Amino acid sequence: MLFGLHEYLVGNTKYITFLRNPVNRLLSFYHYVEKRPHHRLYNDVFGRNLSFHEFIEQIDAGDLHNAQVRWISGLEHGTEEEMLTQAFINIKKHFSFVGLLEHYDVSLILLSKIHEWGIPYYRQRNKGSYKFAKNNIEERTLELITQKNNADIKLYSLIEQELLSNKNKIKFLNIKLPILRFISKILYSYKLKKLRIVFYKRIN
């Protein structure tokens, strides 16, 4: 969704978002559409059997062209420079945190520190497996993605630099990361899930 929801809310509002490496995001989006026949782009892409390269090359939609900068800026039809500039303004003024999916655990620890949430935990949902596809993306496709997502790449790079700098300031990170991963794994393990179901049935 485009930036601007806070205008419809009462009181002080701050945004939290996670960026994704543009190459990873577009590859994931391609397969996301593939699995959803009712998606608005499905017929344009898979009705014509477009390859990933052809998807990037031929589909003219904001989802494929600097989508993250577009959404954060709130400028659906702005120029690349306008959207990137406005995105930075919005982040500085309205966002309490911008994390990165490729550094998810570190991002969560930084976010929890800002809001004093303690050690967080999470469950992975809708996780795709495109490792083989990612390792076999053609160079011409990577170049095309760069051309069409230059602003997204710039934003991601700057946020990554800031995140990695803040990462070095986290005390006991080498202890906190294993704890986060262990808690997340335990809380959503198969055995614990069965125990939760049994407990729920007994109290109801």
Side-chain angles (χ1 to χ4, degrees):
M1 60 171 291
L2 289 173
F3 170 83
L5 179 62
H6 68 285
E7 296 175 359
Y8 301 91
L9 302 177
V10 177
N12 185 37
T13 304
K14 289 292 182 181
Y15 290 79
I16 293 170
T17 193
F18 280 72
L19 299 178
R20 190 170 190 179
N21 177 289
V23 175
N24 294 340
R25 193 190 73 79
L26 287 171
L27 183 60
S28 175
F29 184 52
Y30 176 75
H31 289 287
Y32 176 86
V33 174
E34 182 181 23
K35 295 176 181 178
R36 290 163 175 80
H38 297 294
H39 193 281
R40 59 187 171 80
L41 296 179
Y42 183 87
N43 289 333
D44 289 337
V45 180
F46 296 99
R48 297 159 55 197
N49 294 317
L50 298 186
S51 66
F52 180 56
H53 180 85
E54 291 169 333
F55 171 68
I56 304 297
E57 182 181 49
Q58 298 180 27
I59 298 301
D60 184 19
D63 311 72
L64 282 72
H65 305 154
N66 293 311
Q68 296 176 102
V69 164
R70 189 183 307 277
W71 293 329
I72 292 173
S73 70
L75 302 177
E76 190 172 10
H77 302 295
T79 66
E80 183 177 283
E81 184 177 350
E82 288 171 342
M83 290 190 297
L84 184 58
T85 299
Q86 189 61 49
F88 281 124
I89 292 172
N90 289 346
I91 287 172
K92 186 175 181 179
K93 186 176 180 180
H94 295 284
F95 284 69
S96 67
F97 182 76
V98 180
L100 300 178
L101 193 62
E102 286 76 15
H103 300 276
Y104 191 71
D105 289 354
V106 172
S107 295
L108 278 187
I109 289 175
L110 287 169
L111 176 59
S112 65
K113 182 179 179 182
I114 291 172
H115 293 285
E116 300 179 348
W117 289 342
I119 298 295
Y121 60 90
Y122 61 91
R123 181 183 183 183
Q124 291 188 346
R125 302 288 296 271
N126 300 322
K127 182 180 179 181
S129 179
Y130 315 124
K131 186 174 180 180
F132 175 80
K134 181 182 175 183
N135 293 337
N136 288 274
I137 297 177
E138 298 177 272
E139 188 63 34
R140 64 182 185 130
T141 306
L142 293 173
E143 292 176 358
L144 189 58
I145 291 173
T146 300
Q147 291 173 16
K148 295 192 173 187
N149 294 272
N150 188 50
D152 270 10
I153 291 170
K154 286 181 180 178
L155 177 63
Y156 184 93
S157 178
L158 289 170
I159 295 298
E160 184 177 40
Q161 290 176 30
E162 182 178 353
L163 186 142
L164 293 178
S165 176
N166 290 331
K167 173 184 175 181
N168 294 328
K169 301 174 186 177
I170 302 175
K171 294 181 179 179
F172 310 115
L173 179 64
N174 59 335
I175 297 175
K176 291 179 179 178
L177 280 175
I179 290 175
L180 181 155
R181 291 162 183 162
F182 177 75
I183 291 175
S184 297
K185 184 177 181 179
I186 291 297
L187 286 178
Y188 289 103
S189 67
Y190 175 72
K191 290 183 179 180
L192 194 60
K193 182 179 179 181
K194 288 183 68 176
L195 285 175
R196 287 202 300 268
I197 292 173
V198 171
F199 178 74
Y200 177 80
K201 287 181 177 179
R202 285 182 177 178
I203 64 175
N204 288 280

